[in-house]
Amino acid sequence: MNKRMLQKTGTFLLLKSIRMATLLIAICFISFLLIKNSPIDPIRAYIGADMLKVGPEQREKIAAYWGLDEPLMVQFFNWGSSLLAGDLGTSMIFRRPVSEIIQERFMNSLILMITAWVISGVLGFVLGVVAAMKKGTWIDRIIKWYCFTLASTPTFWMGLLTLIVFAVWLGWFPVGLGVPAGVLAQDVTLAERIHHLILPALTLSILGVANVALHTRQKLIDVLASDYVLFARAKGEKGFPLFWKHGLRNVALPAITLQFAAFSELFGGAVLAEQVFSYPGLGQATVEAGLRGDVPLLLGLVIFSTLFVFVGNLLADIVTYLVDPRTREGKSL
Amino acid sequence: MRQAIQTDRLALNRRHWMIFFTIFAAVFLALVVIGGTFLNPERIATNFQEKNLAPSLHHLFGTDWLGRDMFSRTVMGLSLSIKVGLIGAIGSTFIAVSLGMIAATMGKAADRIVSWLIDLFLSVPHLVALILIAFTLGGGFKGVVFGLMLTHWPSLARVIRAEVMQVRSSEYVKISKRMGKSSVWIAAHHIFPHLLPQMIIGFLLLFPHVILHEAAVTFIGLGLSPHEPAIGVILSESMKYLSSGMWWLAFFPGLSLLLIVRIFDWVGENIRILADPTKAHE
């Protein structure tokens, strides 16, 4: 990498980061406003069932302690400045710092999402390539039909189906929980973790295939219609060697980019899969926070998931930028 | 369209077949909505004499732990889902068209703001945005409908914006302007007719997403109230009974939802192809 290119890459990253920062601030502000205007009373949500035992004076004290009696903008800046310092507040349902919960849950979710991400990416790519190489045959039609059907399948229903088949009928897997019940968190072995990971990962992998497969198929069909492939065919190349020499490079990049850009859907899928399999990840925490009115946790999760999606998009951009020389030639992005 | 390849012998061509099948599918969807609306509520009344029955001819989808007929519950749920989806998709299309028009016609600043808004909405995972909005509005029908409306417009807004820009820069619009037509007249006579098919097709292609998201939000408990016969409610209730082997509680309602969404998608795709003569022969 020469100096000029390094410089260009630096500018590119800087511009992306500035854009992200404005979006993130806006997301923080909007979510804060939305939640402030929600009908959930934070004090009521905090105290829960003991509401009757708490008098109005005590309520006022709690409000003052949390700064709930201050003007809205002051509250936002208080919250924002502690956010910048890395303090996301304390979760009401877990009674622990939000950042701690997100960290712990993220590790669980990350394993799940990465597994599903890799499997669906590879499988989708292979399916797309096979469909395109055999365009118009029954294999192509089946793959296409399968992908279109997957796109209409509710994620949580697919989760329920795998649960019925593998956990209830075959009894291979436990019906729920990310770790075995009655075992301390530090005593859970790797094998047990993997055992509980398989079904949610399988669900997400089956569904994640469609997008990459259809996209790769279309892309490869375009490539196969090009002049250089026509020339290669005229020289007698065909089948797998033809794909390996002329197709792979041209279709791998769009597929990788697409997979990175799909982090948003991956997160959404994980929310549903974790809910079905009671897998203790970020998605389940989001649902819990929403259902039980845990405002600090929900805000933290919204911001964290936004960051997650942004990292995905950024990686997609960087990969395209670094791997494909054509995108560097024109103006900087 | 695929079925039609072998039918050259018949008098109808592929286009005819496609129109025929599309109308057939649309009628089927309408029947589900009407059926669900006018189905006798007695059919899902509690009946302990017939509880936990596996699917049979009498109860096509079986019965649940309260003896309610699952087929009737499913049809009612689908009908409700389609109605909620309809409101959500119409709202989203409306937002998309308004913002797309604003971006394309009201200058550079407006364009920047709209693009920024689109980026903003795409930067939060869709389901998380839905949860946030549903939570803010206190869940229930209002929460879901607003959540669906406010989160599905960005992609269509981009399409509309590009379309308006293209039409605006075309020669006949420029000539029309030179001939002294007002911008309202141009919008009504030149731009809107071009936009109408885009709007209808965009709406039809949004629909499946809206229905799936409605079911997902309801499933996790932040959507329609548990008293409604929604598919999301049926499926989330069924989770408690799966371990006792009552697979039909989850299997058929979910499969029906899949079918409805698939048919909608197919109808939308067909109409898109039919509306575009250059693609009709693919």
Side-chain angles (χ1 to χ4, degrees), chain B residues 50-171:
Chain B
E50 295 195 320
K51 66 175 181 179
N52 301 344
L53 293 180
S56 63
L57 274 181
H58 188 55
H59 294 289
L60 277 179
F61 292 180
T63 61
D64 64 7
W65 62 99
L66 291 173
R68 293 177 289 187
D69 178 40
M70 287 308 287
F71 179 74
S72 311
R73 283 190 86 197
T74 303
V75 174
M76 285 179 179
L78 290 175
S79 163
L80 186 67
S81 283
I82 295 175
K83 284 182 213 157
V84 172
L86 206 67
I87 304 173
I90 289 175
S92 251
T93 311
F94 181 75
I95 297 176
V97 171
S98 317
L99 287 179
M101 292 275 271
I102 288 173
T105 54
M106 291 174 75
K108 241 187 176 147
D111 191 20
R112 286 247 170 90
I113 293 172
V114 172
S115 316
W116 188 80
L117 266 178
I118 291 175
D119 282 349
L120 187 74
F121 272 85
L122 291 179
S123 65
V124 187
H126 200 139
L127 201 60
V128 176
L130 263 174
I131 291 175
L132 184 66
I133 295 172
F135 172 81
T136 305
L137 295 170
F141 181 77
K142 196 175 73 175
V144 191
V145 168
F146 274 99
L148 295 173
M149 277 183 190
L150 288 174
T151 53
H152 284 86
W153 57 268
S155 48
L156 183 59
R158 276 194 182 150
V159 175
I160 298 281
R161 171 180 168 274
E163 184 75 17
V164 175
M165 283 190 160
Q166 200 195 346
V167 177
R168 253 168 60 95
S169 63
S170 62
E171 283 180 352

Side-chain angles (χ1 to χ4, degrees), chain B residues 24-68:
Chain B
F24 185 75
V27 169
F28 174 75
L29 291 173
L31 275 180
V32 172
V33 176
I34 296 167
T37 314
F38 295 105
L39 210 61
N40 188 356
E42 287 279 297
R43 294 184 59 119
I44 57 164
T46 319
N47 180 0
F48 284 111
Q49 283 173 336
E50 295 195 320
K51 66 175 181 179
N52 301 344
L53 293 180
S56 63
L57 274 181
H58 188 55
H59 294 289
L60 277 179
F61 292 180
T63 61
D64 64 7
W65 62 99
L66 291 173
R68 293 177 289 187

Side-chain angles (χ1 to χ4, degrees), chain A residues 8-333:
Chain A
K8 259 181 148 181
T9 316
T11 330
F12 165 76
L13 284 178
L14 189 73
L15 284 176
K16 282 275 162 195
S17 309
I18 292 172
R19 189 168 182 74
M20 176 60 194
T22 60
L23 284 175
L24 203 60
I25 292 169
I27 292 283
C28 290
F29 188 61
I30 292 171
S31 342
F32 185 80
L33 276 187
L34 276 176
I35 284 188
K36 274 291 152 203
N37 288 315
S38 77
I40 305 282
D41 177 6
I43 299 172
R44 186 185 290 268
Y46 176 66
I47 297 167
D50 296 332
M51 201 62 195
L52 285 173
K53 295 185 198 156
V54 180
E57 299 86 21
Q58 273 173 303
R59 294 198 51 172
E60 263 167 41
K61 267 188 192 164
I62 299 175
Y65 177 70
W66 279 345
L68 290 172
D69 47 356
E70 288 176 77
L72 193 66
M73 282 315 282
V74 177
Q75 283 188 41
F76 176 67
F77 280 112
N78 285 342
W79 177 71
S81 52
S82 56
L83 189 71
L84 284 179
D87 178 16
L88 288 159
T90 309
S91 156
M92 289 172 183
I93 35 180
F94 296 99
R95 313 268 155 151
R96 278 166 54 207
V98 169
S99 49
E100 216 174 87
I101 294 167
I102 290 183
Q103 209 175 9
E104 180 188 304
R105 295 279 177 134
F106 180 59
M107 287 323 288
N108 287 339
S109 285
L110 192 66
I111 304 170
L112 172 64
M113 288 193 280
I114 286 185
T115 317
W117 189 78
V118 171
I119 297 177
S120 65
V122 172
L123 205 65
F125 186 70
V126 172
L127 281 179
V129 167
V130 170
M133 296 298 283
K134 305 267 177 198
K135 191 194 167 205
T137 64
W138 58 272
I139 301 178
D140 178 32
R141 275 195 216 153
I142 288 177
I143 292 177
K144 243 168 56 183
W145 185 86
Y146 174 72
C147 289
F148 280 127
T149 305
L150 281 184
S152 314
T153 309
T155 314
F156 51 99
W157 182 65
M158 185 54 92
L160 291 176
L161 283 192
T162 53
L163 201 66
I164 293 172
V165 173
F166 293 105
V168 179
W169 287 354
L170 297 172
W172 291 352
F173 295 98
V175 177
L177 301 177
V179 291
V183 182
L184 285 176
Q186 60 262 36
D187 296 340
V188 180
T189 62
L190 186 68
E192 278 167 336
R193 268 182 198 280
I194 292 174
H195 194 67
H196 286 258
L197 176 74
I198 292 175
L199 283 189
L202 179 75
T203 307
L204 287 181
S205 311
I206 295 176
L207 289 173
V209 162
N211 217 350
V212 192
L214 288 174
H215 198 81
T216 306
R217 174 182 175 274
Q218 195 52 49
K219 205 80 200 167
L220 188 56
I221 286 174
D222 293 346
V223 169
L224 290 178
S226 66
D227 286 345
Y228 58 85
V229 171
L230 187 68
F231 182 61
R233 283 210 165 116
K235 288 196 299 179
E237 290 181 39
K238 61 183 176 204
F240 186 74
L242 175 79
F243 163 73
W244 189 254
K245 276 165 80 177
H246 305 287
L248 180 64
R249 274 171 166 232
N250 286 303
V251 290
L253 186 68
I256 293 171
T257 319
L258 192 74
Q259 228 8 36
F260 273 116
F263 270 28
S264 165
E265 280 152 55
L266 186 67
F267 197 93
V271 170
L272 294 168
E274 285 174 10
Q275 185 66 10
V276 171
F277 296 101
S278 339
Y279 185 85
L282 284 178
Q284 206 207 16
T286 314
V287 174
E288 283 286 297
L291 283 177
R292 294 168 61 181
D294 188 343
V295 171
L297 186 59
L298 189 59
L299 277 175
L301 285 164
V302 170
I303 293 162
F304 187 80
S305 60
T306 309
L307 265 175
F308 180 73
V309 171
F310 173 72
V311 169
N313 287 336
L314 187 66
L315 286 175
D317 285 340
I318 294 175
V319 168
T320 319
Y321 190 74
L322 291 180
V323 179
D324 191 344
R326 285 169 301 187
T327 52
R328 282 198 303 269
E329 274 174 13
K331 56 188 176 8
S332 66
L333 283 164

